[in-house]
Amino acid sequence: MDLLSLKEHNTRSLLIHYRWDVEKLLTVLVEKGKDELCAEAGVTILEHEELVSTLIMCTICFEEVPANSATTMDCGHIFCNSCWTEHFIIKINEGQSRRIICMAHKCNVICDEEIVRLLVSARDPNLADKFDRFLLESYIEDNRKVKWCPSVPHCGNAIRIDDNDLCEVECACGLTFCFKCSSEAHSPCSCLMWELWSKKCQDESETVNWMTVHTKPCPKCFKPVEKNGGCNLVSCICGQPFWYEYIENDLLGSLKWTSHSIAPYMSDGAGKASELTDCQGL
Amino acid sequence: MANSNLPRRIIKETQRLLSEPAPGISASPSEENMRYFNVMILGPSQSPYEGGVFKLELFLPEEYPMAPPKVRFLTKIYHPNIDKLGRICLDILKDKWSPALQIRTVLLSIQALLSAPNPDDPLSENIAKHWKTNETEAVETAKEWTRLYASGE
């Protein structure tokens, strides 16, 4: 960002605001100019004179502190370091590391990350690390062109694409996924269609429920068989006839049916044909 | 309890509230708990609440001023941004809170909210609907409630 001659934290704030879309940022710069560009993103680039007075009254805690224990933010608001630190800790814990704004009412300026890091690490070094991690992750999470690999467990990789977001990518861990919807590669079907399909597949559990209630497994091939009418003698598509109710009462327990119920039908060819036409298996 | 170790900020604010009260507003800390304030706001002139005296309670949580004070109307009031429990819908009491704001500024904002009800961002759906469909009638109700519940007795 030499072009704008900005400090690192200002550049980062700008990029976060424009979701790391450098082209868009440049368009805004050309169309509206640098001031507008920065103002929209809450970035101030004023220079401030060093304060000379030795004691400063912090308007947050109302304590008088030496000037070297107070910090002026880019917007010119000055508060004591202890109040700043508390403010930063609260904001980081609220998950707002990317946009910690000044404490002054209606001041929209984003705090200098160097100052945040410095003050927070003095009180809670772990939290300062967390802050750094959040800032790094912003490059991925706020960026339209970069995405975490959706592998489970997470392989730790992120993938960046160049222009077309309608593509399938392969992560270094070997997982192939659709960049747009993060689900497994599904071309040529659209993301919407894929989502509907996945949903349908998940809904399969309902089908299983229905099958337990309405079908019986064939004693020979174990496929589920639905009795769609007629008497209790049904025939599976594998050709195996069986006694529907009997199975229910003595589920696959014994195969006694072979000895009695079926026999009359088996011997009577005409009867069997007529009975079995309406006893189709599934 | 909370009175020991009261932050300097709270002491200073309290002193200033008592010595130079804002017009139409009075706030005094409770004797048992210096973080609990009894507040009275006079209904602003040219508002349906004119002539009313509204009681509120204000509590400064442990995190104050990093967290906003908790404020609630004790007097019944007919206002689209205040519900029947007296809770107030005001941005600076929620996400727009800044530690640079004070008890005084919060109470002034509440007073301003009485002058400018905002039915587009309602807390009481019914009152807001009333306000939007028939403002004259809603204002009449607000005046009526002010007479009935906020006459200062």
Side-chain angles (χ1 to χ4, degrees):
Chain A
M1 280 285 104
D2 292 334
L3 180 68
L4 290 164
S5 59
L6 290 177
K7 282 197 259 172
E8 185 189 330
H9 78 274
N10 283 332
T11 315
R12 195 200 298 266
S13 302
L14 272 182
L15 284 166
I16 289 177
H17 183 80
Y18 291 101
R19 303 187 69 85
W20 298 88
D21 190 335
V22 180
E23 268 178 46
K24 182 164 176 219
L25 196 155
L26 292 175
T27 319
V28 177
L29 174 69
V30 172
E31 282 173 3
K32 298 179 175 170
K34 183 176 167 185
D35 291 344
E36 185 99 342
L37 174 86
C38 293
E40 272 183 19
V43 172
T44 316
I45 33 172
L46 298 175
E47 296 301 321
H48 300 285
E49 309 149 29
E50 284 297 306
L51 284 145
V52 278
S53 62
T54 46
L55 277 181
I56 303 270
M57 166 81 161
C58 171
T59 53
I60 303 283
C61 59
F62 289 1
E63 301 281 353
E64 288 203 325
V65 294
N68 59 6
S69 303
T71 304
T72 314
M73 214 43 78
D74 287 344
C75 49
H77 294 117
I78 181 165
F79 301 107
C80 79
N81 287 347
S82 154
C83 286
W84 275 126
T85 311
E86 257 176 64
H87 175 66
F88 295 153
I89 289 177
I90 286 174
K91 292 295 165 191
I92 296 171
N93 284 326
E94 281 176 1
Q96 298 200 30
S97 300
R98 293 162 210 176
R99 271 192 73 88
I100 301 184
I101 56 168
C102 168
M103 285 195 283
H105 182 44
K106 289 187 174 164
C107 179
N108 208 22
V109 167
I110 295 169
C111 299
D112 186 336
E113 62 181 64
E114 280 300 324
I115 299 177
V116 177
R117 197 173 293 125
L118 192 79
L119 290 179
V120 172
S121 60
R123 195 178 299 181
D124 185 348
N126 286 336
L127 197 67
D129 290 346
K130 203 168 148 190
F131 171 70
D132 274 338
R133 210 169 55 243
F134 277 137
L135 280 186
L136 264 180
E137 283 174 4
S138 138
Y139 175 69
I140 293 159
E141 278 160 25
D142 294 337
N143 194 332
R144 219 166 35 82
K145 291 184 175 179
V146 182
K147 229 176 215 168
W148 287 113
C149 168
S151 54
V152 180
H154 186 40
C155 65
N157 295 335
I159 298 214
R160 188 179 66 205
I161 51 157
D162 285 330
D163 34 31
N164 185 6
D165 64 355
L166 287 170
C167 64
E168 282 166 1
V169 291
E170 187 180 348
C171 173
C173 74
L175 184 79
T176 325
F177 64 97
C178 166
F179 194 82
K180 196 171 177 208
C181 67
S182 292
S183 48
E184 60 188 286
H186 55 69
S187 67
C189 94
S190 70
C191 292
L192 176 69
M193 206 185 273
W194 184 255
E195 194 201 318
L196 291 173
W197 168 254
S198 311
K199 192 150 179 285
K200 187 206 152 286
C201 292
Q202 278 168 8
D203 288 351
E204 201 81 321
S205 61
E206 276 307 301
T207 314
V208 172
N209 282 345
W210 190 89
M211 288 197 326
T212 4
V213 176
H214 296 279
T215 71
K216 301 277 181 279
C218 162
K220 188 178 164 203
C221 70
F222 301 105
K223 281 203 181 80
V225 176
E226 178 197 5
K227 184 183 118 169
N228 61 355
C231 75
N232 278 329
L233 178 72
V234 297
S235 169
C236 172
I237 42 167
C238 72
Q240 175 69 51
F242 64 94
W243 197 246
Y244 199 78
E245 283 303 316
Y246 194 84
I247 302 250
E248 187 176 67
N249 296 334
D250 185 10
L251 192 67
L252 296 177
S254 69
L255 299 175
K256 284 181 199 150
W257 52 273
T258 45
S259 58
H260 54 280
S261 328
I262 306 296
Y265 291 97
M266 298 301 252
S267 58
D268 182 358
K272 177 188 162 199
S274 62
E275 285 287 348
L276 292 188
T277 39
D278 53 6
C279 301
Q280 291 160 2
L282 190 73
Chain B
M1 33 177 247
N3 294 2
S4 57
N5 264 333
L6 205 62
R8 186 186 156 90
R9 151 130 183 187
I10 297 181
I11 298 171
K12 283 265 182 180
E13 270 200 70
T14 310
Q15 284 169 352
R16 213 176 137 228
L17 277 170
L18 296 172
S19 61
E20 322 157 33
I25 293 173
S26 85
S28 52
S30 130
E31 278 175 21
E32 301 90 59
N33 185 348
M34 294 286 283
R35 287 179 175 268
Y36 182 92
F37 289 75
N38 293 302
V39 179
M40 299 238 252
I41 295 184
L42 299 183
S45 56
Q46 278 151 35
S47 80
Y49 312 101
E50 186 171 2
V53 180
F54 296 89
K55 280 191 192 156
L56 296 91
E57 59 178 6
L58 182 147
F59 180 70
L60 304 175
E62 193 55 44
E63 304 81 23
Y64 182 83
M66 293 299 158
K70 299 186 188 307
V71 199
R72 184 170 87 86
F73 270 84
L74 296 173
T75 307
K76 246 172 101 98
I77 181 167
Y78 197 77
H79 190 292
N81 310 104
I82 300 164
D83 74 0
K84 59 178 182 219
L85 295 175
R87 292 176 299 193
I88 307 160
C89 177
L90 187 62
D91 57 354
I92 59 160
L93 292 176
K94 309 253 160 56
D95 54 318
K96 291 285 187 293
W97 168 254
S98 143
L101 292 168
Q102 301 184 8
I103 301 175
R104 170 187 302 270
T105 41
V106 165
L107 296 179
L108 284 168
S109 302
I110 294 173
Q111 197 183 37
L113 188 67
L114 295 186
S115 294
N118 177 9
D120 291 321
D121 182 22
L123 192 56
S124 311
E125 286 290 345
N126 292 337
I127 302 181
K129 212 166 149 192
H130 194 192
W131 223 273
K132 282 174 113 165
T133 49
N134 190 346
E135 192 175 333
T136 337
E137 197 187 287
V139 166
E140 272 314 308
T141 313
K143 282 184 181 164
E144 173 84 20
W145 280 38
T146 306
R147 266 198 306 280
L148 284 173
Y149 307 111
S151 53
E153 276 136 38

